[in-house]
Amino acid sequence: MPVAHDGATTRQRRGPSRRTILLAGAAGGVGAAAAATVAALSDSPSTPGYALRRSASSPVPAVLAGPGVTRVERVYSHARGRHVNLVLVLPVHAPPQGMPMSLLLHGLGGSARSAPADGLESRLSAQVTSLEVPPFGFIAVDGGDNYWHEHQRGDDPMAMLLDEVPAWLLERGLGGQDGTPFAATGTSMGGFGAFVYARRQRERGIELNAIAAISPAFMTSWTEAHRRKAFRNETDWTSLDPLRHLQATRGIPTAVWCGDQDRFITGVREFIQLTRPEVGYTGPGRHNGAFFRSTVPGLVAFLGKHAPGATSS
């Protein structure tokens, strides 16, 4: 079982420039460092080498006290017609008011509770409290098994993400002035959903700062997609499939990690070849928790680089 892992008012979100990040490899105990441009692939699922710069307008307070915390609540989603779990992964117990948040979308058979990979909270807390990255957090919600779109009438997880998540974040003093997540992150089915979410936000005039996908479920045939029982027909699937809508998210800083023994590796390699993402890793690994955990350092560093108030070095 894979784990992971707004409102109609439009606005433009301007992210930091896509400058060079350092990618240091540590696979199998063998260290390797490489400077990776937007088009390059990393030597490791980890992506260190980010330095935080602060300005007078940066939301970073003088002192942030750890450790991190994961909070679980129940909320009612009108878009889904049911109560859902809402999980917040926060770098500190008392985060700054309006702290930026990234979506964290779970995989098929998962839930908001299973969305955070092991080690995510502790890694996020360590890098935020040491000022390696600016303060940010994650929000996960139950999305069902319908690839984050309305497959069953009256159950629309994408509408929940777009229209309800911002209000839930604002109620908790998170997500900036309007509660809109600055990034979309997801694993497997959640990776698929992250690209669909970024596309839908762009259609509303809202530009995400980043997309981060771990082992995204990029399927290369309707036969494969049909087995998921999450699409009405082939036309329904192709209308959503990120591989068939590359232009819809082009220009948004993107990171993708996928093991070379993952069942989705063919589609991920096609995506990397066609889009040249800022980070694209296709090294040793399977579609399992061990690989998902290995991407946590790179995930936190990548999102930290593109979080509001941060500038890459």
Side-chain angles (χ1 to χ4, degrees):
M1 177 183 74
V3 298
H5 66 343
D6 72 1
T9 301
T10 61
R11 66 184 178 86
Q12 289 293 336
R13 184 186 293 278
R14 185 172 300 172
S17 62
R18 301 175 64 185
R19 297 174 59 188
T20 300
I21 58 176
L22 299 179
L23 305 172
V30 179
T37 62
V38 171
L41 306 185
S42 78
D43 294 321
S44 162
S46 301
T47 312
Y50 165 78
L52 173 64
R53 293 178 184 169
R54 287 185 291 171
S55 66
S57 62
S58 173
V60 182
V63 176
L64 282 172
V69 61
T70 297
R71 298 174 181 165
V72 181
E73 305 177 44
R74 294 283 287 177
V75 295
Y76 186 79
S77 169
H78 293 280
R80 295 206 62 206
R82 69 194 70 194
H83 283 88
V84 298
N85 288 308
L86 183 155
V87 175
L88 300 174
V89 181
L90 306 174
V92 290
H93 279 265
Q97 181 71 22
M99 185 179 71
M101 299 290 287
S102 171
L103 286 180
L104 183 60
L105 306 183
H106 64 76
L108 188 68
S111 68
R113 289 175 178 267
S114 67
D118 291 344
L120 179 61
E121 176 195 306
S122 59
R123 183 75 184 199
L124 177 65
S125 178
Q127 291 197 228
V128 168
T129 56
S130 65
L131 301 184
E132 295 176 57
V133 300
F136 73 93
F138 295 91
I139 178 170
V141 286
D142 294 336
D145 290 334
N146 296 323
Y147 275 71
W148 298 96
H149 76 114
E150 188 179 23
H151 180 54
Q152 305 293 336
R153 187 176 297 277
D155 184 1
D156 191 343
M158 185 55 61
M160 174 181 63
L161 299 180
L162 294 168
D163 299 324
E164 295 181 307
V165 164
W168 293 336
L169 286 175
L170 283 176
E171 289 169 359
R172 290 154 182 81
L174 299 168
Q177 293 183 343
D178 63 3
T180 302
F182 78 92
T185 304
T187 296
S188 194
M189 179 188 79
F192 182 105
F195 282 92
V196 177
Y197 174 81
R199 174 183 167 192
R200 295 299 184 229
Q201 288 288 45
R202 179 173 273 183
E203 290 168 355
R204 293 178 169 210
I206 297 173
E207 194 80 353
L208 294 190
N209 284 22
I211 302 170
I214 302 165
S215 306
F218 288 166
M219 296 161 282
T220 57
S221 71
W222 167 237
T223 300
E224 184 180 8
H226 182 58
R227 290 198 294 266
R228 271 66 187 175
K229 302 184 184 302
F231 307 97
R232 289 186 293 274
N233 48 46
E234 185 173 3
T235 300
D236 187 35
W237 168 59
T238 56
S239 71
L240 296 165
D241 178 32
L243 287 178
R244 288 160 176 77
H245 298 276
L246 299 177
Q247 282 297 128
T249 56
R250 192 177 297 277
I252 301 174
T254 299
V256 177
W257 296 267
C258 189
D260 59 4
Q261 298 180 64
D262 191 294
R263 58 183 172 272
F264 297 121
I265 188 61
T266 300
V268 170
R269 282 175 172 155
E270 179 182 339
F271 176 85
I272 290 172
Q273 181 181 11
L274 292 173
T275 67
R276 309 304 294 173
E278 185 170 321
V279 177
Y281 174 79
T282 57
R286 299 178 180 274
H287 198 88
N288 57 25
F291 181 79
F292 304 156
R293 287 192 297 273
S294 75
T295 68
V296 166
L299 173 66
V300 173
F302 172 76
L303 291 177
K305 176 186 176 184
H306 293 289
T311 305
S312 59
S313 60

